[in-house]
């Protein structure tokens, strides 16, 4: 199934004139196919266990997509610096916001736990 989806994506992208997007098109197509399959028939238990095992080591599966994106970035020429700054800022601002929310959430939990402990100490 993986080979059929990937090769179909390659052929479709060649016909559309965007050969470099075949990996991403195949990835999205596979995701859509699996979501439809899951909603209609459900996934067998053995597939879920196998995918959990393979997911741990699947970081290298995205290496071609990352390499293609890197090559496209360097083809930008003079616009590379602006695109890189945009990517860094758009990554750091959500991470900063998430860190603030996580800090607030953890402090509220710590205060709630200490308040409960103080109430228990006061009661004989």
């Amino acid at each position: 199934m993986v080979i059929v989806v990937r090769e179909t994506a390659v052929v479709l992208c060649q016909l559309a004139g965007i050969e470099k997007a075949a990996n991403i098109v195949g990835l999205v197509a596979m995701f859509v196919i699996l979501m439809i399959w899951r909603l209609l028939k459900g996934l067998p238990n053995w597939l879920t266990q196998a995918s959990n095992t393979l997911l741990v080591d699947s970081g290298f599966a995205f290496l071609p997509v990352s390499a293609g994106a890197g090559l496209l970035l360097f083809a930008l020429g003079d616009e590379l610096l602006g695109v890189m700054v945009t990517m860094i800022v758009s990554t750091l601002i959500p991470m900063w916001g998430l860190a603030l929310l996580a800090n607030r959430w953890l402090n509220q939990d710590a205060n709630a736990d200490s308040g409960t402990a103080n109430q228990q100490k006061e009661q004989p």
Side-chain angles (χ1 to χ4, degrees):
M1 183 173 153
V2 173
I3 294 170
V4 170
V5 171
R6 186 195 181 280
E7 293 303 318
T8 304
V10 168
V11 169
L12 290 175
C13 287
Q14 284 176 347
L15 292 174
I18 49 172
E19 294 88 7
K20 292 182 180 182
N23 287 330
I24 294 173
V25 170
L27 185 70
V28 171
M30 181 65 80
F31 176 73
V32 169
I33 290 169
L34 289 176
M35 288 301 294
I36 291 170
W37 185 277
R38 180 177 175 226
L39 292 173
L40 295 177
K41 290 194 165 203
L43 295 177
N45 192 27
W46 65 267
L47 182 61
T48 305
Q49 291 175 353
S51 68
N52 287 341
T53 302
L54 292 174
L55 190 60
V56 173
D57 300 321
S58 68
F60 293 114
F62 296 102
L63 188 59
V65 175
S66 301
L71 290 174
L72 288 175
L73 275 178
F74 289 112
L76 290 173
D78 294 338
E79 297 175 0
L80 176 65
L81 183 61
V83 170
M84 293 301 291
V85 168
T86 303
M87 288 172 53
I88 290 170
V89 169
S90 65
T91 303
L92 291 179
I93 289 175
M95 286 175 59
W96 176 70
L98 184 62
L100 288 176
L101 290 173
N103 188 24
R104 183 177 298 170
W105 177 62
L106 290 172
N107 284 338
Q108 286 177 354
D109 283 352
N111 291 339
D113 290 342
S114 66
T116 305
N118 290 337
Q119 289 174 356
Q120 290 176 354
K121 286 181 185 177
E122 292 172 2
Q123 295 176 354

